[in-house]
mmCIF file with all atom_site columns, all heavy atoms in Angstrom:
data_model
loop_
_atom_site.group_PDB
_atom_site.id
_atom_site.type_symbol
_atom_site.label_atom_id
_atom_site.label_alt_id
_atom_site.label_comp_id
_atom_site.label_asym_id
_atom_site.label_entity_id
_atom_site.label_seq_id
_atom_site.pdbx_PDB_ins_code
_atom_site.Cartn_x
_atom_site.Cartn_y
_atom_site.Cartn_z
_atom_site.occupancy
_atom_site.B_iso_or_equiv
_atom_site.pdbx_formal_charge
_atom_site.auth_seq_id
_atom_site.auth_comp_id
_atom_site.auth_asym_id
_atom_site.auth_atom_id
_atom_site.pdbx_PDB_model_num
ATOM 1   N N   . VAL F 1 23  ? 20.699 -44.359 19.185 1.00 0.00 ? 245 VAL F N   1
ATOM 2   C CA  . VAL F 1 23  ? 20.414 -42.982 19.571 1.00 0.00 ? 245 VAL F CA  1
ATOM 3   C C   . VAL F 1 23  ? 21.641 -42.148 19.206 1.00 0.00 ? 245 VAL F C   1
ATOM 4   O O   . VAL F 1 23  ? 22.794 -42.492 19.474 1.00 0.00 ? 245 VAL F O   1
ATOM 5   C CB  . VAL F 1 23  ? 20.181 -42.788 21.133 1.00 0.00 ? 245 VAL F CB  1
ATOM 6   C CG1 . VAL F 1 23  ? 20.140 -41.332 21.520 1.00 0.00 ? 245 VAL F CG1 1
ATOM 7   C CG2 . VAL F 1 23  ? 18.944 -43.532 21.503 1.00 0.00 ? 245 VAL F CG2 1
ATOM 8   N N   . VAL F 1 24  ? 21.480 -41.091 18.491 1.00 0.00 ? 246 VAL F N   1
ATOM 9   C CA  . VAL F 1 24  ? 22.519 -40.085 18.034 1.00 0.00 ? 246 VAL F CA  1
ATOM 10  C C   . VAL F 1 24  ? 22.200 -38.784 18.707 1.00 0.00 ? 246 VAL F C   1
ATOM 11  O O   . VAL F 1 24  ? 21.197 -38.144 18.400 1.00 0.00 ? 246 VAL F O   1
ATOM 12  C CB  . VAL F 1 24  ? 22.514 -40.015 16.551 1.00 0.00 ? 246 VAL F CB  1
ATOM 13  C CG1 . VAL F 1 24  ? 23.453 -39.006 15.964 1.00 0.00 ? 246 VAL F CG1 1
ATOM 14  C CG2 . VAL F 1 24  ? 22.691 -41.398 15.862 1.00 0.00 ? 246 VAL F CG2 1
ATOM 15  N N   . ILE F 1 25  ? 23.170 -38.328 19.503 1.00 0.00 ? 247 ILE F N   1
ATOM 16  C CA  . ILE F 1 25  ? 23.020 -37.049 20.110 1.00 0.00 ? 247 ILE F CA  1
ATOM 17  C C   . ILE F 1 25  ? 23.879 -35.933 19.350 1.00 0.00 ? 247 ILE F C   1
ATOM 18  O O   . ILE F 1 25  ? 25.121 -36.173 19.237 1.00 0.00 ? 247 ILE F O   1
ATOM 19  C CB  . ILE F 1 25  ? 23.572 -37.093 21.618 1.00 0.00 ? 247 ILE F CB  1
ATOM 20  C CG1 . ILE F 1 25  ? 22.740 -38.103 22.419 1.00 0.00 ? 247 ILE F CG1 1
ATOM 21  C CG2 . ILE F 1 25  ? 23.567 -35.707 22.297 1.00 0.00 ? 247 ILE F CG2 1
ATOM 22  C CD1 . ILE F 1 25  ? 23.227 -38.340 23.819 1.00 0.00 ? 247 ILE F CD1 1
ATOM 23  N N   . ILE F 1 26  ? 23.225 -34.934 18.958 1.00 0.00 ? 248 ILE F N   1
ATOM 24  C CA  . ILE F 1 26  ? 23.879 -33.908 18.183 1.00 0.00 ? 248 ILE F CA  1
ATOM 25  C C   . ILE F 1 26  ? 23.531 -32.628 18.916 1.00 0.00 ? 248 ILE F C   1
ATOM 26  O O   . ILE F 1 26  ? 22.427 -32.315 19.201 1.00 0.00 ? 248 ILE F O   1
ATOM 27  C CB  . ILE F 1 26  ? 23.507 -33.797 16.778 1.00 0.00 ? 248 ILE F CB  1
ATOM 28  C CG1 . ILE F 1 26  ? 23.918 -35.076 15.978 1.00 0.00 ? 248 ILE F CG1 1
ATOM 29  C CG2 . ILE F 1 26  ? 24.045 -32.509 16.044 1.00 0.00 ? 248 ILE F CG2 1
ATOM 30  C CD1 . ILE F 1 26  ? 23.493 -35.061 14.500 1.00 0.00 ? 248 ILE F CD1 1
ATOM 31  N N   . TYR F 1 27  ? 24.653 -31.903 19.272 1.00 0.00 ? 249 TYR F N   1
ATOM 32  C CA  . TYR F 1 27  ? 24.450 -30.557 20.023 1.00 0.00 ? 249 TYR F CA  1
ATOM 33  C C   . TYR F 1 27  ? 24.215 -29.352 19.012 1.00 0.00 ? 249 TYR F C   1
ATOM 34  O O   . TYR F 1 27  ? 24.785 -29.474 17.909 1.00 0.00 ? 249 TYR F O   1
ATOM 35  C CB  . TYR F 1 27  ? 25.647 -30.267 20.820 1.00 0.00 ? 249 TYR F CB  1
ATOM 36  C CG  . TYR F 1 27  ? 25.692 -31.205 22.105 1.00 0.00 ? 249 TYR F CG  1
ATOM 37  C CD1 . TYR F 1 27  ? 26.377 -32.430 22.022 1.00 0.00 ? 249 TYR F CD1 1
ATOM 38  C CD2 . TYR F 1 27  ? 25.181 -30.798 23.260 1.00 0.00 ? 249 TYR F CD2 1
ATOM 39  C CE1 . TYR F 1 27  ? 26.361 -33.260 23.184 1.00 0.00 ? 249 TYR F CE1 1
ATOM 40  C CE2 . TYR F 1 27  ? 25.192 -31.621 24.473 1.00 0.00 ? 249 TYR F CE2 1
ATOM 41  C CZ  . TYR F 1 27  ? 25.782 -32.772 24.396 1.00 0.00 ? 249 TYR F CZ  1
ATOM 42  O OH  . TYR F 1 27  ? 25.823 -33.598 25.469 1.00 0.00 ? 249 TYR F OH  1
ATOM 43  N N   . TYR F 1 28  ? 23.463 -28.447 19.412 1.00 0.00 ? 250 TYR F N   1
ATOM 44  C CA  . TYR F 1 28  ? 23.316 -27.252 18.469 1.00 0.00 ? 250 TYR F CA  1
ATOM 45  C C   . TYR F 1 28  ? 23.503 -26.021 19.267 1.00 0.00 ? 250 TYR F C   1
ATOM 46  O O   . TYR F 1 28  ? 23.270 -25.930 20.466 1.00 0.00 ? 250 TYR F O   1
ATOM 47  C CB  . TYR F 1 28  ? 21.871 -27.396 17.862 1.00 0.00 ? 250 TYR F CB  1
ATOM 48  C CG  . TYR F 1 28  ? 20.754 -27.220 18.828 1.00 0.00 ? 250 TYR F CG  1
ATOM 49  C CD1 . TYR F 1 28  ? 20.173 -25.903 19.114 1.00 0.00 ? 250 TYR F CD1 1
ATOM 50  C CD2 . TYR F 1 28  ? 20.156 -28.337 19.429 1.00 0.00 ? 250 TYR F CD2 1
ATOM 51  C CE1 . TYR F 1 28  ? 19.114 -25.786 19.962 1.00 0.00 ? 250 TYR F CE1 1
ATOM 52  C CE2 . TYR F 1 28  ? 19.120 -28.168 20.308 1.00 0.00 ? 250 TYR F CE2 1
ATOM 53  C CZ  . TYR F 1 28  ? 18.610 -26.967 20.555 1.00 0.00 ? 250 TYR F CZ  1
ATOM 54  O OH  . TYR F 1 28  ? 17.480 -26.735 21.450 1.00 0.00 ? 250 TYR F OH  1
ATOM 55  N N   . ASN F 1 48  ? 18.104 -27.160 12.659 1.00 0.00 ? 270 ASN F N   1
ATOM 56  C CA  . ASN F 1 48  ? 17.486 -28.173 13.391 1.00 0.00 ? 270 ASN F CA  1
ATOM 57  C C   . ASN F 1 48  ? 16.330 -28.825 12.607 1.00 0.00 ? 270 ASN F C   1
ATOM 58  O O   . ASN F 1 48  ? 16.289 -30.070 12.662 1.00 0.00 ? 270 ASN F O   1
ATOM 59  C CB  . ASN F 1 48  ? 16.964 -27.649 14.702 1.00 0.00 ? 270 ASN F CB  1
ATOM 60  C CG  . ASN F 1 48  ? 18.087 -27.449 15.725 1.00 0.00 ? 270 ASN F CG  1
ATOM 61  O OD1 . ASN F 1 48  ? 18.951 -28.168 15.756 1.00 0.00 ? 270 ASN F OD1 1
ATOM 62  N ND2 . ASN F 1 48  ? 17.862 -26.396 16.527 1.00 0.00 ? 270 ASN F ND2 1
ATOM 63  N N   . LEU F 1 51  ? 18.039 -31.273 10.080 1.00 0.00 ? 273 LEU F N   1
ATOM 64  C CA  . LEU F 1 51  ? 18.432 -32.427 10.781 1.00 0.00 ? 273 LEU F CA  1
ATOM 65  C C   . LEU F 1 51  ? 17.230 -33.438 11.058 1.00 0.00 ? 273 LEU F C   1
ATOM 66  O O   . LEU F 1 51  ? 17.310 -34.606 10.843 1.00 0.00 ? 273 LEU F O   1
ATOM 67  C CB  . LEU F 1 51  ? 19.217 -32.191 12.024 1.00 0.00 ? 273 LEU F CB  1
ATOM 68  C CG  . LEU F 1 51  ? 20.711 -31.947 11.877 1.00 0.00 ? 273 LEU F CG  1
ATOM 69  C CD1 . LEU F 1 51  ? 21.364 -31.691 13.178 1.00 0.00 ? 273 LEU F CD1 1
ATOM 70  C CD2 . LEU F 1 51  ? 21.359 -33.095 11.086 1.00 0.00 ? 273 LEU F CD2 1
ATOM 71  N N   . PHE F 1 55  ? 16.832 -37.247 9.600  1.00 0.00 ? 277 PHE F N   1
ATOM 72  C CA  . PHE F 1 55  ? 16.719 -38.454 10.386 1.00 0.00 ? 277 PHE F CA  1
ATOM 73  C C   . PHE F 1 55  ? 15.512 -39.148 10.258 1.00 0.00 ? 277 PHE F C   1
ATOM 74  O O   . PHE F 1 55  ? 15.375 -40.314 10.573 1.00 0.00 ? 277 PHE F O   1
ATOM 75  C CB  . PHE F 1 55  ? 17.090 -38.081 11.821 1.00 0.00 ? 277 PHE F CB  1
ATOM 76  C CG  . PHE F 1 55  ? 18.596 -38.126 12.147 1.00 0.00 ? 277 PHE F CG  1
ATOM 77  C CD1 . PHE F 1 55  ? 19.312 -36.897 11.957 1.00 0.00 ? 277 PHE F CD1 1
ATOM 78  C CD2 . PHE F 1 55  ? 19.128 -39.211 12.734 1.00 0.00 ? 277 PHE F CD2 1
ATOM 79  C CE1 . PHE F 1 55  ? 20.671 -36.977 12.219 1.00 0.00 ? 277 PHE F CE1 1
ATOM 80  C CE2 . PHE F 1 55  ? 20.459 -39.288 13.014 1.00 0.00 ? 277 PHE F CE2 1
ATOM 81  C CZ  . PHE F 1 55  ? 21.250 -38.122 12.730 1.00 0.00 ? 277 PHE F CZ  1
ATOM 82  N N   . ARG F 1 62  ? 17.940 -42.751 15.914 1.00 0.00 ? 284 ARG F N   1
ATOM 83  C CA  . ARG F 1 62  ? 16.994 -41.845 16.595 1.00 0.00 ? 284 ARG F CA  1
ATOM 84  C C   . ARG F 1 62  ? 17.767 -40.587 17.127 1.00 0.00 ? 284 ARG F C   1
ATOM 85  O O   . ARG F 1 62  ? 18.694 -40.667 17.859 1.00 0.00 ? 284 ARG F O   1
ATOM 86  C CB  . ARG F 1 62  ? 16.336 -42.516 17.712 1.00 0.00 ? 284 ARG F CB  1
ATOM 87  C CG  . ARG F 1 62  ? 15.283 -41.626 18.447 1.00 0.00 ? 284 ARG F CG  1
ATOM 88  C CD  . ARG F 1 62  ? 14.340 -42.464 19.337 1.00 0.00 ? 284 ARG F CD  1
ATOM 89  N NE  . ARG F 1 62  ? 15.087 -43.091 20.425 1.00 0.00 ? 284 ARG F NE  1
ATOM 90  C CZ  . ARG F 1 62  ? 15.403 -42.517 21.635 1.00 0.00 ? 284 ARG F CZ  1
ATOM 91  N NH1 . ARG F 1 62  ? 15.011 -41.251 21.872 1.00 0.00 ? 284 ARG F NH1 1
ATOM 92  N NH2 . ARG F 1 62  ? 15.934 -43.167 22.558 1.00 0.00 ? 284 ARG F NH2 1
ATOM 93  N N   . LEU F 1 63  ? 17.441 -39.348 16.587 1.00 0.00 ? 285 LEU F N   1
ATOM 94  C CA  . LEU F 1 63  ? 18.121 -38.167 16.771 1.00 0.00 ? 285 LEU F CA  1
ATOM 95  C C   . LEU F 1 63  ? 17.664 -37.549 18.161 1.00 0.00 ? 285 LEU F C   1
ATOM 96  O O   . LEU F 1 63  ? 16.429 -37.530 18.460 1.00 0.00 ? 285 LEU F O   1
ATOM 97  C CB  . LEU F 1 63  ? 17.825 -37.148 15.627 1.00 0.00 ? 285 LEU F CB  1
ATOM 98  C CG  . LEU F 1 63  ? 18.418 -35.778 15.819 1.00 0.00 ? 285 LEU F CG  1
ATOM 99  C CD1 . LEU F 1 63  ? 19.980 -35.777 15.818 1.00 0.00 ? 285 LEU F CD1 1
ATOM 100 C CD2 . LEU F 1 63  ? 17.846 -34.785 14.680 1.00 0.00 ? 285 LEU F CD2 1
ATOM 101 N N   . GLN F 1 64  ? 18.578 -37.136 18.880 1.00 0.00 ? 286 GLN F N   1
ATOM 102 C CA  . GLN F 1 64  ? 18.362 -36.207 20.121 1.00 0.00 ? 286 GLN F CA  1
ATOM 103 C C   . GLN F 1 64  ? 19.199 -34.975 19.815 1.00 0.00 ? 286 GLN F C   1
ATOM 104 O O   . GLN F 1 64  ? 20.442 -34.958 19.719 1.00 0.00 ? 286 GLN F O   1
ATOM 105 C CB  . GLN F 1 64  ? 18.831 -37.013 21.341 1.00 0.00 ? 286 GLN F CB  1
ATOM 106 C CG  . GLN F 1 64  ? 17.933 -38.022 21.810 1.00 0.00 ? 286 GLN F CG  1
ATOM 107 C CD  . GLN F 1 64  ? 18.276 -38.555 23.199 1.00 0.00 ? 286 GLN F CD  1
ATOM 108 O OE1 . GLN F 1 64  ? 19.201 -38.076 23.866 1.00 0.00 ? 286 GLN F OE1 1
ATOM 109 N NE2 . GLN F 1 64  ? 17.702 -39.621 23.635 1.00 0.00 ? 286 GLN F NE2 1
ATOM 110 N N   . LEU F 1 65  ? 18.513 -33.866 19.792 1.00 0.00 ? 287 LEU F N   1
ATOM 111 C CA  . LEU F 1 65  ? 19.155 -32.478 19.613 1.00 0.00 ? 287 LEU F CA  1
ATOM 112 C C   . LEU F 1 65  ? 19.218 -31.897 21.037 1.00 0.00 ? 287 LEU F C   1
ATOM 113 O O   . LEU F 1 65  ? 18.257 -31.825 21.747 1.00 0.00 ? 287 LEU F O   1
ATOM 114 C CB  . LEU F 1 65  ? 18.291 -31.655 18.691 1.00 0.00 ? 287 LEU F CB  1
ATOM 115 C CG  . LEU F 1 65  ? 18.279 -32.018 17.212 1.00 0.00 ? 287 LEU F CG  1
ATOM 116 C CD1 . LEU F 1 65  ? 17.295 -31.303 16.512 1.00 0.00 ? 287 LEU F CD1 1
ATOM 117 C CD2 . LEU F 1 65  ? 19.753 -31.724 16.713 1.00 0.00 ? 287 LEU F CD2 1
ATOM 118 N N   . ARG F 1 66  ? 20.415 -31.488 21.343 1.00 0.00 ? 288 ARG F N   1
ATOM 119 C CA  . ARG F 1 66  ? 20.656 -30.889 22.718 1.00 0.00 ? 288 ARG F CA  1
ATOM 120 C C   . ARG F 1 66  ? 21.252 -29.535 22.554 1.00 0.00 ? 288 ARG F C   1
ATOM 121 O O   . ARG F 1 66  ? 22.195 -29.230 21.872 1.00 0.00 ? 288 ARG F O   1
ATOM 122 C CB  . ARG F 1 66  ? 21.491 -31.794 23.598 1.00 0.00 ? 288 ARG F CB  1
ATOM 123 C CG  . ARG F 1 66  ? 20.858 -33.084 23.901 1.00 0.00 ? 288 ARG F CG  1
ATOM 124 C CD  . ARG F 1 66  ? 21.787 -33.982 24.827 1.00 0.00 ? 288 ARG F CD  1
ATOM 125 N NE  . ARG F 1 66  ? 21.196 -35.207 25.189 1.00 0.00 ? 288 ARG F NE  1
ATOM 126 C CZ  . ARG F 1 66  ? 21.773 -36.123 25.912 1.00 0.00 ? 288 ARG F CZ  1
ATOM 127 N NH1 . ARG F 1 66  ? 22.867 -35.879 26.571 1.00 0.00 ? 288 ARG F NH1 1
ATOM 128 N NH2 . ARG F 1 66  ? 21.098 -37.279 26.131 1.00 0.00 ? 288 ARG F NH2 1
ATOM 129 N N   . PRO F 1 67  ? 20.811 -28.460 23.323 1.00 0.00 ? 289 PRO F N   1
ATOM 130 C CA  . PRO F 1 67  ? 21.235 -27.141 23.153 1.00 0.00 ? 289 PRO F CA  1
ATOM 131 C C   . PRO F 1 67  ? 22.574 -27.007 23.981 1.00 0.00 ? 289 PRO F C   1
ATOM 132 O O   . PRO F 1 67  ? 22.834 -27.691 24.984 1.00 0.00 ? 289 PRO F O   1
ATOM 133 C CB  . PRO F 1 67  ? 20.177 -26.332 23.788 1.00 0.00 ? 289 PRO F CB  1
ATOM 134 C CG  . PRO F 1 67  ? 19.563 -27.222 24.741 1.00 0.00 ? 289 PRO F CG  1
ATOM 135 C CD  . PRO F 1 67  ? 19.548 -28.639 24.230 1.00 0.00 ? 289 PRO F CD  1
ATOM 136 N N   . VAL F 1 68  ? 23.417 -26.068 23.443 1.00 0.00 ? 290 VAL F N   1
ATOM 137 C CA  . VAL F 1 68  ? 24.712 -25.796 24.168 1.00 0.00 ? 290 VAL F CA  1
ATOM 138 C C   . VAL F 1 68  ? 25.131 -24.422 23.793 1.00 0.00 ? 290 VAL F C   1
ATOM 139 O O   . VAL F 1 68  ? 24.909 -23.879 22.629 1.00 0.00 ? 290 VAL F O   1
ATOM 140 C CB  . VAL F 1 68  ? 25.768 -26.848 23.736 1.00 0.00 ? 290 VAL F CB  1
ATOM 141 C CG1 . VAL F 1 68  ? 26.148 -26.642 22.261 1.00 0.00 ? 290 VAL F CG1 1
ATOM 142 C CG2 . VAL F 1 68  ? 26.892 -26.755 24.728 1.00 0.00 ? 290 VAL F CG2 1
ATOM 143 N N   . ALA F 1 82  ? 31.577 -34.898 22.940 1.00 0.00 ? 304 ALA F N   1
ATOM 144 C CA  . ALA F 1 82  ? 30.369 -34.792 22.070 1.00 0.00 ? 304 ALA F CA  1
ATOM 145 C C   . ALA F 1 82  ? 30.663 -35.424 20.680 1.00 0.00 ? 304 ALA F C   1
ATOM 146 O O   . ALA F 1 82  ? 31.845 -35.321 20.273 1.00 0.00 ? 304 ALA F O   1
ATOM 147 C CB  . ALA F 1 82  ? 30.048 -33.262 21.937 1.00 0.00 ? 304 ALA F CB  1
ATOM 148 N N   . LEU F 1 83  ? 29.662 -36.034 20.088 1.00 0.00 ? 305 LEU F N   1
ATOM 149 C CA  . LEU F 1 83  ? 29.901 -36.624 18.825 1.00 0.00 ? 305 LEU F CA  1
ATOM 150 C C   . LEU F 1 83  ? 29.877 -35.578 17.769 1.00 0.00 ? 305 LEU F C   1
ATOM 151 O O   . LEU F 1 83  ? 30.698 -35.573 16.829 1.00 0.00 ? 305 LEU F O   1
ATOM 152 C CB  . LEU F 1 83  ? 28.688 -37.561 18.563 1.00 0.00 ? 305 LEU F CB  1
ATOM 153 C CG  . LEU F 1 83  ? 28.570 -38.113 17.148 1.00 0.00 ? 305 LEU F CG  1
ATOM 154 C CD1 . LEU F 1 83  ? 29.719 -39.070 16.807 1.00 0.00 ? 305 LEU F CD1 1
ATOM 155 C CD2 . LEU F 1 83  ? 27.263 -38.802 16.988 1.00 0.00 ? 305 LEU F CD2 1
ATOM 156 N N   . ALA F 1 84  ? 28.946 -34.596 17.793 1.00 0.00 ? 306 ALA F N   1
ATOM 157 C CA  . ALA F 1 84  ? 28.683 -33.657 16.686 1.00 0.00 ? 306 ALA F CA  1
ATOM 158 C C   . ALA F 1 84  ? 28.000 -32.415 17.193 1.00 0.00 ? 306 ALA F C   1
ATOM 159 O O   . ALA F 1 84  ? 27.423 -32.338 18.247 1.00 0.00 ? 306 ALA F O   1
ATOM 160 C CB  . ALA F 1 84  ? 27.898 -34.289 15.569 1.00 0.00 ? 306 ALA F CB  1
ATOM 161 N N   . LEU F 1 85  ? 28.173 -31.333 16.373 1.00 0.00 ? 307 LEU F N   1
ATOM 162 C CA  . LEU F 1 85  ? 27.689 -30.029 16.768 1.00 0.00 ? 307 LEU F CA  1
ATOM 163 C C   . LEU F 1 85  ? 27.335 -29.262 15.457 1.00 0.00 ? 307 LEU F C   1
ATOM 164 O O   . LEU F 1 85  ? 28.028 -29.410 14.476 1.00 0.00 ? 307 LEU F O   1
ATOM 165 C CB  . LEU F 1 85  ? 28.823 -29.249 17.443 1.00 0.00 ? 307 LEU F CB  1
ATOM 166 C CG  . LEU F 1 85  ? 28.607 -27.744 17.791 1.00 0.00 ? 307 LEU F CG  1
ATOM 167 C CD1 . LEU F 1 85  ? 27.483 -27.611 18.936 1.00 0.00 ? 307 LEU F CD1 1
ATOM 168 C CD2 . LEU F 1 85  ? 29.887 -27.059 18.190 1.00 0.00 ? 307 LEU F CD2 1
ATOM 169 N N   . ILE F 1 86  ? 26.279 -28.527 15.506 1.00 0.00 ? 308 ILE F N   1
ATOM 170 C CA  . ILE F 1 86  ? 25.888 -27.664 14.403 1.00 0.00 ? 308 ILE F CA  1
ATOM 171 C C   . ILE F 1 86  ? 25.807 -26.217 14.951 1.00 0.00 ? 308 ILE F C   1
ATOM 172 O O   . ILE F 1 86  ? 25.440 -26.022 16.179 1.00 0.00 ? 308 ILE F O   1
ATOM 173 C CB  . ILE F 1 86  ? 24.604 -28.047 13.781 1.00 0.00 ? 308 ILE F CB  1
ATOM 174 C CG1 . ILE F 1 86  ? 23.395 -27.922 14.789 1.00 0.00 ? 308 ILE F CG1 1
ATOM 175 C CG2 . ILE F 1 86  ? 24.626 -29.441 13.195 1.00 0.00 ? 308 ILE F CG2 1
ATOM 176 C CD1 . ILE F 1 86  ? 21.986 -28.075 14.117 1.00 0.00 ? 308 ILE F CD1 1
ATOM 177 N N   . ILE F 1 220 ? 27.493 -29.829 9.714  1.00 0.00 ? 442 ILE F N   1
ATOM 178 C CA  . ILE F 1 220 ? 27.453 -30.616 10.948 1.00 0.00 ? 442 ILE F CA  1
ATOM 179 C C   . ILE F 1 220 ? 28.962 -31.024 11.176 1.00 0.00 ? 442 ILE F C   1
ATOM 180 O O   . ILE F 1 220 ? 29.596 -31.622 10.331 1.00 0.00 ? 442 ILE F O   1
ATOM 181 C CB  . ILE F 1 220 ? 26.586 -31.952 10.836 1.00 0.00 ? 442 ILE F CB  1
ATOM 182 C CG1 . ILE F 1 220 ? 25.317 -31.560 10.218 1.00 0.00 ? 442 ILE F CG1 1
ATOM 183 C CG2 . ILE F 1 220 ? 26.558 -32.602 12.213 1.00 0.00 ? 442 ILE F CG2 1
ATOM 184 C CD1 . ILE F 1 220 ? 24.492 -32.775 9.767  1.00 0.00 ? 442 ILE F CD1 1
ATOM 185 N N   . GLY F 1 221 ? 29.480 -30.580 12.299 1.00 0.00 ? 443 GLY F N   1
ATOM 186 C CA  . GLY F 1 221 ? 30.841 -30.885 12.566 1.00 0.00 ? 443 GLY F CA  1
ATOM 187 C C   . GLY F 1 221 ? 30.967 -32.085 13.502 1.00 0.00 ? 443 GLY F C   1
ATOM 188 O O   . GLY F 1 221 ? 30.485 -32.112 14.603 1.00 0.00 ? 443 GLY F O   1
ATOM 189 N N   . PHE F 1 222 ? 31.601 -33.138 13.011 1.00 0.00 ? 444 PHE F N   1
ATOM 190 C CA  . PHE F 1 222 ? 31.872 -34.325 13.845 1.00 0.00 ? 444 PHE F CA  1
ATOM 191 C C   . PHE F 1 222 ? 33.265 -34.363 14.458 1.00 0.00 ? 444 PHE F C   1
ATOM 192 O O   . PHE F 1 222 ? 34.263 -34.074 13.844 1.00 0.00 ? 444 PHE F O   1
ATOM 193 C CB  . PHE F 1 222 ? 31.643 -35.648 13.044 1.00 0.00 ? 444 PHE F CB  1
ATOM 194 C CG  . PHE F 1 222 ? 30.296 -35.992 12.747 1.00 0.00 ? 444 PHE F CG  1
ATOM 195 C CD1 . PHE F 1 222 ? 29.631 -35.406 11.730 1.00 0.00 ? 444 PHE F CD1 1
ATOM 196 C CD2 . PHE F 1 222 ? 29.751 -37.020 13.485 1.00 0.00 ? 444 PHE F CD2 1
ATOM 197 C CE1 . PHE F 1 222 ? 28.316 -35.849 11.340 1.00 0.00 ? 444 PHE F CE1 1
ATOM 198 C CE2 . PHE F 1 222 ? 28.436 -37.376 13.193 1.00 0.00 ? 444 PHE F CE2 1
ATOM 199 C CZ  . PHE F 1 222 ? 27.715 -36.770 12.174 1.00 0.00 ? 444 PHE F CZ  1
ATOM 200 N N   . LEU F 1 236 ? 26.814 -43.995 9.984  1.00 0.00 ? 458 LEU F N   1
ATOM 201 C CA  . LEU F 1 236 ? 25.933 -42.776 10.116 1.00 0.00 ? 458 LEU F CA  1
ATOM 202 C C   . LEU F 1 236 ? 26.345 -41.618 9.238  1.00 0.00 ? 458 LEU F C   1
ATOM 203 O O   . LEU F 1 236 ? 25.564 -41.062 8.509  1.00 0.00 ? 458 LEU F O   1
ATOM 204 C CB  . LEU F 1 236 ? 25.950 -42.372 11.583 1.00 0.00 ? 458 LEU F CB  1
ATOM 205 C CG  . LEU F 1 236 ? 25.271 -40.979 11.869 1.00 0.00 ? 458 LEU F CG  1
ATOM 206 C CD1 . LEU F 1 236 ? 23.794 -41.084 11.609 1.00 0.00 ? 458 LEU F CD1 1
ATOM 207 C CD2 . LEU F 1 236 ? 25.554 -40.532 13.256 1.00 0.00 ? 458 LEU F CD2 1
ATOM 208 N N   . LEU F 1 240 ? 23.970 -40.246 6.490  1.00 0.00 ? 462 LEU F N   1
ATOM 209 C CA  . LEU F 1 240 ? 23.536 -38.889 6.596  1.00 0.00 ? 462 LEU F CA  1
ATOM 210 C C   . LEU F 1 240 ? 23.891 -38.017 5.437  1.00 0.00 ? 462 LEU F C   1
ATOM 211 O O   . LEU F 1 240 ? 23.068 -37.163 4.981  1.00 0.00 ? 462 LEU F O   1
ATOM 212 C CB  . LEU F 1 240 ? 24.008 -38.362 7.980  1.00 0.00 ? 462 LEU F CB  1
ATOM 213 C CG  . LEU F 1 240 ? 23.555 -36.899 8.298  1.00 0.00 ? 462 LEU F CG  1
ATOM 214 C CD1 . LEU F 1 240 ? 22.055 -36.780 8.356  1.00 0.00 ? 462 LEU F CD1 1
ATOM 215 C CD2 . LEU F 1 240 ? 24.153 -36.561 9.658  1.00 0.00 ? 462 LEU F CD2 1
#
Side-chain angles (χ1 to χ4, degrees):
V245 174
V246 177
I247 299 172
I248 296 180
Y249 288 85
Y250 66 92
N270 284 326
L273 274 185
F277 273 83
R284 181 164 62 87
L285 175 65
Q286 286 187 8
L287 287 167
R288 294 186 182 178
V290 69
L305 169 70
L307 172 73
I308 63 170
I442 311 163
F444 281 81
L458 168 66
L462 181 57

